[in-house]
């Protein structure tokens, strides 16, 4: 027998029972972003490999070991996007969207990283991200964080912790880097293999280690905050004061560095304790150096990326149900001759009531089996069209979840009746 073909490891099917929650997250995000005047941008899933090497940085987990890179038929090295920022910046540069203007943008889509699959960590996952370009002041950092805070509010997710830190300017980071390297060298024997490697290539990222055995060494490391100049301090202070004024709780986490190379000054993460080790549902910050690093004119930038898979998992943990998509009305068609007229009646109802969710029984079946399906559909009421009803241009109305008498209604009264009962 031929080998069964299954989905690629770490890549999931999202089944119809699960998609309403995904749609809820996507719809809510779109509404929240619109309420701040952010506009959507869509970029390709595949980019030149060079783009990610140059933006994310050669010595990051992503570029070192997580990218899906392949040669296409022309021999070009292409990569499935592991994150959304690089493509967004590339598109904006290519189309002149960064020149003497500000941009507020958002995107969503599948991202690909060859990681070890586990709960909350997949090889294909979805991000919703937001980017703001052309604004150097702390006001936009604050706005971006407030957008994310509002997202949790609208999604009904309480209890996420906002962790925030500042990485200062590249110059300040350099001074810190030297102090950090001294400290780590002095504690070399306590570093794991990964950290020893990072100590050489990218010492700040030792602080990003997920290894619990490293927690103590990391806790004792010097803090970057002490190397900040006046301007970076002031920038950070506007943000923390703004969060306080807006009533958004936060904790300053001096060890928060983020895995990507392109951040400067503000970094933040939203963390949950509901998902075990994969606790970060959203991460972002300022990345003023990136556009220039990609060959453009220096452009201030700030944004975040949210892991939709993890946000949906949080909603599931909280027992949130999204049943918005269920039909409201189920049309039972009793008899062969009513099938086509039934579909036509359904079309008329949908014309009259654009929001109506109406499922028609296709494929026949006994009265009993049709009612079983009606019940399972989640609809509130069944409309019954048999040959007698068709003759009289009526339908029977039977309530599926309420104790109400069955009634008979004329076809031309139906739209008004449904409007009244369902309110759409
Ligand atoms: P982590 O530390 O968990 O590996 P990261 O720092 O690599 O995360 P980012 O590159 O900042 O993650 O991506 C932003 C968000 O996208 C993360 O906070 C997380 O919610 C989500 N995310 C990242 N990688 C994955 C993955 N492999 N599967 C599911 N979600 C992911
Ligand atoms: Mg990662």
């Amino acid at each position: 027998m031929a080998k069964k073909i299954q989905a690629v490891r770490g890549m999931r099917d999202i089944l119809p029972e699960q998609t309403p929650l995904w749609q809820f997250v996507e719809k809510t995000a779109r509404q929240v972003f619109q309420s701040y005047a952010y506009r959507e941008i869509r970029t390709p899933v595949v980019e030149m490999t060079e783009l990610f090497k140059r933006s994310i940085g050669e010595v990051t987990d992503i570029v070192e070991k997580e990218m899906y890179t392949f040669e296409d038929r022309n021999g070009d090295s292409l990569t499935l996007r592991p994150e959304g920022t690089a493509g967004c910046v590339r598109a904006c540069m290519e189309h002149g969207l960064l020149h003497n203007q500000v941009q507020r943008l958002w995107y969503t889509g599948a991202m690909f990283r060859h990681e070890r699959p586990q709960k909350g960590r997949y090889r294909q996952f979805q991000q919703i991200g937001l980017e703001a370009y052309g604004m150097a002041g702390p006001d936009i950092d604050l706005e971006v964080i407030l957008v994310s805070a509002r997202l949790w509010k609208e999604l009904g997710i309480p209890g996420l912790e906002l962790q925030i830190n500042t990485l200062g300017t590249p110059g300040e980071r350099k001074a810190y880097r030297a102090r950090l390297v001294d400290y780590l060298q002095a504690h070399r024997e306590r570093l794991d293999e990964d950290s020893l490697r990072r100590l050489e290539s990218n010492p700040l990222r030792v602080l990003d280690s997920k290894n619990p055995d490293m927690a103590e060494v990391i806790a004792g490391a010097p803090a970057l905050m002490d190397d900040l100049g006046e301007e970076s301090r002031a920038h950070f202070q506007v943000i923390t004061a703004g969060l306080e004024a807006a009533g958004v709780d936060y904790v300053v986490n001096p060890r928060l560095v983020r895995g990507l190379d392109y951040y400067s000054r503000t970094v933040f993460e939203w963390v949950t304790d509901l998902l075990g080790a994969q606790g970060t549902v959203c991460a972002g910050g300022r990345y003023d150096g990136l556009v220039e690093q990609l060959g453009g004119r220096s452009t201030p930038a700030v944004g975040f990326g949210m892991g939709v898979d993890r946000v949906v998992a949080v909603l599931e943990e909280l027992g949130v149900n999204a049943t918005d998509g269920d039909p409201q009305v189920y049309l039972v068609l009793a008899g062969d001759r009513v099938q086509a007229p039934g579909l036509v009646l359904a079309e008329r109802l949908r014309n009259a009531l654009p929001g109506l969710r109406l499922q028609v029984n296709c494929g026949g079946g006994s009265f009993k089996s049709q009612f079983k399906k009606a019940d399972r559909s989640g609809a509130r009421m069944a409309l019954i069209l048999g040959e007698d009803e068709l003759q009289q241009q009526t339908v029977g109305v039977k309530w599926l979840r309420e104790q109400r008498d069955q009634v008979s209604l004329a076809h031309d009264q139906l739209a008004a009746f449904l409007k009244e009962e369902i309110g759409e």
Side-chain angles (χ1 to χ4, degrees):
M1 219 170 74
K3 193 161 164 257
K4 232 193 312 178
I5 297 178
Q6 295 187 317
V8 173
R9 183 167 139 81
M11 304 197 181
R12 303 185 296 160
D13 301 306
I14 311 296
L15 299 178
E17 302 92 83
Q18 304 167 296
T19 49
L21 266 188
W22 287 74
Q23 289 168 358
F24 170 59
V25 173
E26 288 158 358
K27 184 171 111 191
T28 305
R30 191 177 314 128
Q31 284 167 352
V32 168
F33 295 160
Q34 266 168 9
S35 78
Y36 289 80
Y38 284 71
R39 299 180 303 154
E40 187 184 4
I41 184 164
R42 302 188 186 200
T43 64
V45 171
V46 177
E47 298 274 357
M48 306 296 290
T49 302
E50 194 55 25
L51 173 67
F52 301 116
K53 287 194 174 167
R54 268 168 59 187
S55 59
I56 299 169
E58 299 264 9
V59 285
T60 56
D61 283 351
I62 292 180
V63 173
E64 275 178 351
K65 54 187 188 197
E66 294 176 357
M67 294 205 301
Y68 279 90
T69 297
F70 59 97
E71 268 189 18
D72 76 355
R73 286 168 195 278
N74 304 326
D76 290 328
S77 180
L78 306 182
T79 294
L80 296 182
R81 64 181 176 200
E83 53 97 58
T85 298
C88 185
V89 168
R90 198 264 314 133
C92 286
M93 290 169 65
E94 193 166 326
H95 300 282
L97 303 187
L98 301 179
H99 203 67
N100 291 329
Q101 50 195 317
V102 303
Q103 293 289 348
R104 284 180 166 84
L105 303 172
W106 68 271
Y107 59 82
T108 184
M111 307 296 160
F112 302 84
R113 296 184 194 178
H114 197 276
E115 303 196 69
R116 193 168 71 77
Q118 51 197 296
K119 190 178 175 203
R121 194 176 290 286
Y122 308 100
R123 291 181 172 177
Q124 174 175 334
F125 59 100
Q126 192 179 329
Q127 280 187 349
I128 297 180
L130 182 136
E131 318 285 2
Y133 299 117
M135 293 164 273
D139 48 353
I140 189 68
D141 308 42
L142 178 60
E143 178 179 279
V144 164
I145 299 173
L146 292 175
V147 176
S148 58
R150 182 167 300 277
L151 210 48
W152 317 133
K153 191 166 136 194
E154 299 295 327
L155 289 170
I157 301 180
L160 293 183
E161 183 177 85
L162 171 61
Q163 300 187 358
I164 158 165
N165 190 24
T166 173
L167 302 180
T169 62
E172 290 158 351
R173 225 161 35 239
K174 210 163 157 193
Y176 171 68
R177 195 182 141 118
R179 283 207 304 141
L180 180 65
V181 169
D182 286 346
Y183 169 85
L184 293 173
Q185 290 288 12
H187 295 84
R188 244 190 120 79
E189 74 289 349
R190 293 165 69 192
L191 303 184
D192 63 9
E193 199 186 317
D194 234 15
S195 301
L196 284 171
R197 208 164 38 84
R198 289 174 176 181
L199 176 56
E200 303 305 324
S201 57
N202 193 346
L204 250 72
R205 286 190 48 253
V206 173
L207 304 178
D208 200 29
S209 169
K210 304 278 186 311
N211 182 354
D213 297 341
M214 293 283 304
E216 211 183 315
V217 198
I218 291 172
L224 202 156
M225 208 64 92
D226 303 334
D227 290 296
L228 292 187
E230 208 38 59
E231 260 185 75
S232 285
R233 269 173 212 278
H235 189 100
F236 192 58
Q237 221 265 320
V238 170
I239 298 165
T240 52
L243 290 171
E244 278 156 36
V248 176
D249 293 336
Y250 65 89
V251 291
V252 176
N253 174 1
R255 316 281 166 230
L256 184 67
V257 293
R258 312 276 314 109
L260 311 182
D261 269 356
Y262 49 55
Y263 286 98
S264 57
R265 289 204 166 134
T266 319
V267 287
F268 65 94
E269 290 194 358
W270 288 93
V271 183
T272 174
D273 50 17
L274 293 173
L275 302 181
Q278 271 58 250
T280 304
V281 295
C282 175
R286 179 167 280 281
Y287 54 98
D288 291 348
L290 181 59
V291 177
E292 204 172 7
Q293 199 170 307
L294 288 174
R297 190 184 297 196
S298 166
T299 306
V302 49
F304 66 71
M306 170 187 119
V308 183
D309 303 67
R310 293 185 192 174
V311 172
V312 168
V314 168
L315 289 170
E316 280 168 354
E317 286 293 325
L318 294 172
V320 174
N321 256 318
T323 50
D324 294 6
D326 284 354
Q328 300 152 313
V329 179
Y330 193 99
L331 179 56
V332 170
L333 298 177
D336 288 345
R337 258 173 292 179
V338 300
Q339 288 182 346
L343 285 165
V344 173
L345 174 63
E347 289 305 306
R348 270 170 51 200
L349 293 176
R350 293 192 189 95
N351 288 341
L353 301 168
L356 180 66
R357 298 191 304 278
L358 167 61
Q359 181 173 344
V360 177
N361 191 92
C362 288
S366 70
F367 223 61
K368 199 171 145 206
S369 78
Q370 292 199 35
F371 269 102
K372 224 186 219 161
K373 287 195 235 164
D375 194 48
R376 273 204 307 255
S377 76
R380 251 183 90 195
M381 71 174 87
L383 302 179
I384 305 149
L385 185 69
E387 290 180 13
D388 289 347
E389 284 88 356
L390 181 60
Q391 188 92 52
Q392 291 154 23
Q393 291 287 291
T394 62
V395 293
V397 178
K398 187 169 153 54
W399 297 90
L400 299 170
R401 334 249 154 222
E402 292 150 86
Q403 290 297 333
R404 286 170 71 170
D405 292 336
Q406 183 167 336
V407 291
S408 173
L409 281 177
H411 287 185
D412 49 20
Q413 294 177 309
L414 252 183
F417 170 78
L418 291 177
K419 188 166 185 176
E420 173 82 22
E421 288 293 343
I422 285 162
E424 302 227 11

